[in-house]
Amino acid sequence: MNFLSIDCSTDLGSLFIKVENKTFSKILQSDKYSNDLLMKQILDFFAENDLSFSDISEILVNQGPGNFSALRSSLATAKGIGLAKNLKLFGYNTFLWSCIKFFNKQDIIYSLTKYREKYFVKKFNKNLISNTRAEEITKEEITKKYNNNFKVITKKVVKYFDNEILKLDNLNIVTLDHKELEFLRLRDLLEKSLIRPMYLS
């Protein structure tokens, strides 16, 4: 599986390419998220590594949560490349991405994030299937209701979390790895139709 992954969900975004057994990655600053600048970053990234779009067959793009305009720009860019180069397009979200390491290891996983001073939680089963929307939740609810539950947060958002939450039992801080997205693709867990920004109110 050869693919390009685009993640513009946080202040420090990233590009990732996997071609055969080789991988390439690049960090993006948030001021490079506009359509034109992002496209240039992607083209430069391919050129720097002596690659072309013919080397990949799929594009994976993060749907969020995150800055809505940045997500919208990255999705539009990904869709444009997909149409122009006849590449398959798939979407993923950070809630799901953060749970990959615990596939079939925990019956229930709660993925937590913080966005615009609000906490949100999304529930997954052991097969990383979720039938619920991301819900807003208070710090007090997290510490009382979810204290004993298996929880994950990404390393990128730890700095935004209250220390009381970070001291809870069964809290796992995970580093997101683009290489693991291939697992979601092979398990048919990526979005194929409604690829749009994940909006948290």
Side-chain angles (χ1 to χ4, degrees), residues 91-123:
Y92 60 93
N93 64 74
T94 303
F95 287 114
L96 175 61
W97 193 6
S98 68
C99 296
I100 295 176
K101 292 180 175 65
F102 308 105
F103 174 81
N104 212 24
K105 295 179 181 178
Q106 297 291 330
D107 289 336
I108 299 295
I109 306 168
Y110 293 94
S111 179
L112 299 168
T113 195
K114 190 175 185 182
Y115 179 63
R116 291 183 176 175
E117 301 304 315
K118 297 179 181 179
Y119 291 103
F120 293 87
V121 62
K122 190 167 175 61
K123 178 182 177 182

Side-chain angles (χ1 to χ4, degrees), residues 119 137-146 164-165:
Y119 291 103
I137 188 172
T138 65
K139 183 191 80 171
E140 290 71 25
E141 287 176 312
I142 294 174
T143 56
K144 293 178 181 178
K145 183 178 178 180
Y146 295 92
E164 191 174 347
I165 294 175

Side-chain angles (χ1 to χ4, degrees), residues 1-5 16-18 46 53 55-61 78 81-82 86-90 181-182 185-186 190:
M1 176 180 162
N2 301 327
F3 65 92
L4 162 68
S5 175
F16 177 88
I17 298 173
K18 177 181 177 292
F46 273 84
F53 288 114
D55 292 312
I56 62 172
S57 58
E58 300 176 356
I59 302 175
L60 281 52
V61 60
I81 297 172
N86 195 29
L87 302 172
K88 295 179 181 178
L89 180 65
F90 298 91
L181 294 172
E182 185 171 4
R185 171 70 177 92
L186 296 175
L190 298 179

Side-chain angles (χ1 to χ4, degrees), residues 3-4 16-20 22-25 42-56:
F3 65 92
L4 162 68
F16 177 88
I17 298 173
K18 177 181 177 292
V19 176
E20 302 303 336
K22 295 181 179 180
T23 60
F24 310 86
S25 58
I42 293 172
L43 291 173
D44 289 347
F45 183 39
F46 273 84
E48 289 163 6
N49 294 290
D50 196 27
L51 297 170
S52 68
F53 288 114
S54 62
D55 292 312
I56 62 172

Side-chain angles (χ1 to χ4, degrees), residues 29-41:
Q29 300 292 334
S30 59
D31 60 352
K32 301 294 192 297
Y33 288 170
S34 69
N35 288 41
D36 291 342
L37 288 175
L38 179 58
M39 189 65 221
K40 184 179 186 306
Q41 291 281 306

